[in-house]
Amino acid sequence: MPPRVLLPPTDADARRIKRSRVISYALVVLAAIVFSMRPELFGDPQSQPVHALLHGWRIVAGVVLAVAALGVQVVVGVRWRSGLRRAAADE
């Protein structure tokens, strides 16, 4: 079995990869901002019974943003590899 050799990305693929990295970094930064929000931003927990719910949604939103950042990278990688396979099949 021949060793796997990955070709460098084409110009269009390189642009797509760069854009996906920027989007992923932005999503990770947003997740970090959401995670770093202090519960006091939502008001006094003694006077607002919804405080616990808002605090929980902060955690859920941060996790969703982090998973979305990972998903962007996975989708772009899969598309690039499938493009390489199609190009190899055409040859």
Side-chain angles (χ1 to χ4, degrees):
M1 185 166 161
R4 290 187 177 188
V5 176
L6 289 179
L7 301 173
T10 63
D11 290 338
D13 287 336
R15 284 191 303 274
R16 182 181 302 123
I17 291 168
K18 187 174 182 176
R19 280 192 304 250
S20 73
R21 286 181 182 161
V22 169
I23 291 170
S24 291
Y25 292 148
L27 287 171
V28 167
V29 167
L30 282 175
I33 290 170
V34 168
F35 277 133
S36 68
M37 285 183 183
R38 298 182 147 229
E40 293 85 29
L41 290 175
F42 301 121
D44 182 25
Q46 301 298 328
S47 64
Q48 294 182 355
V50 186
H51 178 78
L53 181 65
L54 290 173
H55 186 63
W57 279 108
R58 175 183 67 93
I59 295 169
V60 170
V63 169
V64 167
L65 287 168
V67 169
L70 178 63
V72 166
Q73 290 300 303
V74 168
V75 167
V76 169
V78 167
R79 285 182 64 192
W80 178 52
R81 298 232 359 162
S82 66
L84 288 176
R85 286 190 184 115
R86 266 192 310 255
D90 289 342
E91 289 178 358

